[in-house]
Amino acid sequence: MSLATLRGIGKQYDMGENPVHAIREISMNIDAGEAVAIVGPSGSGKSTLLGILGCLDPATRGTYRLADQDVGAMSRAELAEFRCRRIGFVFQNFNLLPKLTALENVELPLAYAGLKSSLRGQRARAILDRVGLSDRRSHFPNQLSGGQQQRVAIARALVNEPDLVLADEPTGALDTATGREILSILQDVNADGTTVMIVTHDLNVAATMRRTIALADGRISSDGRSGAAARSPWPQTLASWL
């Protein structure tokens, strides 16, 4: 069953007399329960596409339906509420609030959703247990390692039980061993039925997903399943493209 459908999606930024076309005519379906990597060089449109998928940045043209809802027809308030319920975000630099504990950071989306305090704490504790941080609930971000902070970020992304988790370079700020642990958690999340999409420059990371979509010059250049990235002639990381 299709979770996300994009048809003829384009994004243009007006910069004086020379408009910038960040993405052009992107059409694709993302099925519920898929594990997808989005790869490509800097300037290929990865971040722009992620912003559109996450309902953070509206497309200039085309249609985007998520969970059978027309995203383009929603008001700003409707989009905020929809994002809160349907989408979880994981960022390279964690984006945790430094003055809140791990538990309080995870509770935030529940507060935005209007959940009662007692239920927020119960659900946040359960999800921190799930990512292996039951003994770190009261710690502040600066008291946690990078891997632990990313686990908190994943817990925060999952606490509202979203349909879609979007991860932007989730291993980019981590060492190799810790990065593998984070990918393992995301794979477990996907195995439980949540759709996971990762933007990455690392083809080793992309190869852990079951589908890889490559972008170039704002367009889809390839779309392959079952480890297509691992067979790519590209270098093992895309650092040479930066």
Side-chain angles (χ1 to χ4, degrees):
M1 184 177 68
S2 180
L3 173 67
T5 303
L6 288 77
R7 290 290 177 266
I9 289 290
K11 181 66 179 182
Q12 176 179 315
Y13 296 99
D14 293 322
M15 304 181 70
E17 298 180 355
N18 299 306
V20 174
H21 296 274
I23 57 175
R24 305 166 182 261
E25 297 298 322
I26 286 185
S27 296
M28 64 181 180
N29 291 329
I30 304 296
D31 289 338
E34 280 205 89
V36 182
I38 299 174
V39 301
S42 292
S44 62
K46 300 188 307 300
S47 295
T48 301
L49 180 58
L50 190 74
I52 291 172
L53 288 166
C55 303
L56 296 169
D57 193 13
T60 307
R61 66 186 65 84
T63 60
Y64 174 32
R65 297 186 69 86
L66 178 63
D68 205 30
Q69 300 293 312
D70 184 352
V71 171
M74 294 182 188
S75 67
R76 185 171 297 183
E78 288 171 334
L79 274 175
E81 191 272 338
F82 186 72
R83 275 196 307 270
C84 186
R85 289 188 298 110
R86 297 289 189 174
I87 306 171
F89 295 92
V90 180
F91 301 97
Q92 178 176 348
N93 294 318
F94 323 130
N95 285 13
L96 302 178
L97 296 182
K99 294 185 178 180
L100 298 184
T101 65
L103 183 67
E104 290 166 339
N105 268 283
V106 175
E107 284 184 355
L108 270 181
L110 299 174
Y112 295 146
L115 206 67
K116 292 182 179 179
S117 177
S118 58
L119 294 177
R120 293 201 303 265
Q122 180 181 343
R123 191 182 292 185
R125 285 191 291 272
I127 202 71
L128 281 170
D129 291 350
R130 180 179 173 186
V131 298
L133 290 177
S134 57
D135 59 342
R136 294 291 188 272
R137 296 171 185 161
S138 61
H139 287 59
F140 292 93
N142 65 2
Q143 297 172 319
L144 300 172
S145 68
Q148 289 169 339
Q149 290 185 65
Q150 194 61 294
R151 287 171 184 256
V152 173
I154 291 173
R156 181 184 58 191
L158 295 177
V159 74
N160 266 335
E161 300 178 349
D163 301 301
L164 174 64
V165 170
L166 297 174
D168 188 6
E169 298 283 1
T171 64
L174 305 174
D175 63 78
T176 301
T178 305
R180 289 196 193 102
E181 293 174 2
I182 295 303
L183 287 174
S184 178
I185 292 173
L186 290 172
Q187 288 172 325
D188 289 344
V189 168
N190 177 248
D192 287 341
T194 303
T195 305
V196 174
M197 299 186 72
I198 293 178
V199 167
T200 182
H201 280 89
D202 190 334
L203 294 184
N204 290 316
V205 172
T208 66
M209 301 288 104
R210 294 195 298 273
R211 178 180 176 188
T212 300
I213 298 171
L215 301 184
D217 298 323
R219 303 179 188 272
I220 295 176
S221 60
S222 67
D223 186 348
R225 298 178 185 274
S226 300
R231 299 189 297 273
S232 169
W234 298 339
Q236 281 300 97
T237 67
L238 303 181
S240 61
W241 291 15
L242 298 177

